[in-house]
Amino acid sequence: METQLSMLVLEVRDLEASVAFYRDLGLEVPDPQPGRPLVIHRMGSGVSLLLTTSFAATYDPAWTRPAGGYQQLLEFYVGDDASVDRRWADLVAAGHPGRMPPTQTAGPYAAMVDDPDGNVVLLTSDEGARVDGAAPGTS
């Protein structure tokens, strides 16, 4: 059996703020249920994004929230270069910190923005990150 990434868990400080950010990003994240400190959104790729305020602290007594910097990038394929431009502009206009404006990198055309917890979200037009089964160069 092939080992596969099935879920990305993000420890967040404010569940409602994180839900709003990922909705602004374009994900159809459901409303949190009363009394549950988490929300799960399953993406078309099959990978789930779980936002929680307490999983690590509950099950790992040695866990501490990182104080600064970032250790990972969450890459989201958003379409063509113009889609990267629009999505970045919309997120920054909504008050989310822009880390890198849309730029042709040594690889894909990309932009970076911080989510409410300082996780860096990479917006890209990299066809290699597309998982919906469409052939590169098609919509």
Side-chain angles (χ1 to χ4, degrees):
M1 182 177 120
E2 176 187 5
T3 300
Q4 299 180 13
L5 178 65
S6 64
M7 182 179 291
L8 175 64
V9 178
L10 294 180
E11 289 286 340
V12 302
R13 290 176 178 84
D14 181 330
L15 188 58
E16 287 76 23
S18 293
V19 166
F21 171 85
Y22 286 98
R23 285 178 178 165
D24 286 346
L25 180 62
L27 302 181
E28 295 179 12
V29 178
D31 289 329
Q33 295 180 5
R36 292 195 72 200
L38 62 92
V39 65
I40 301 173
H41 169 67
R42 187 163 181 91
M43 295 177 270
S45 64
V47 174
S48 294
L49 174 66
L50 184 142
L51 306 172
T52 180
T53 58
S54 65
F55 184 86
T58 299
Y59 297 103
D60 181 358
W63 181 78
T64 58
R65 188 174 299 281
Y70 60 92
Q71 298 181 60
Q72 71 281 328
L73 296 165
L74 288 76
E75 181 177 355
F76 287 88
Y77 171 80
V78 297
D80 60 12
D81 294 356
S83 297
V84 172
D85 293 341
R86 280 190 305 273
R87 193 63 56 94
W88 186 82
D90 290 347
L91 289 167
V92 171
H96 304 293
R99 185 172 287 274
M100 180 184 83
T103 303
Q104 180 59 56
T105 69
Y109 187 75
M112 293 190 295
V113 62
D114 289 358
D115 79 359
D117 290 281
N119 295 304
V120 178
V121 173
L122 180 67
L123 310 170
T124 182
S125 63
D126 180 8
E127 290 285 336
R130 187 174 188 162
V131 296
D132 64 4
T138 64
S139 295

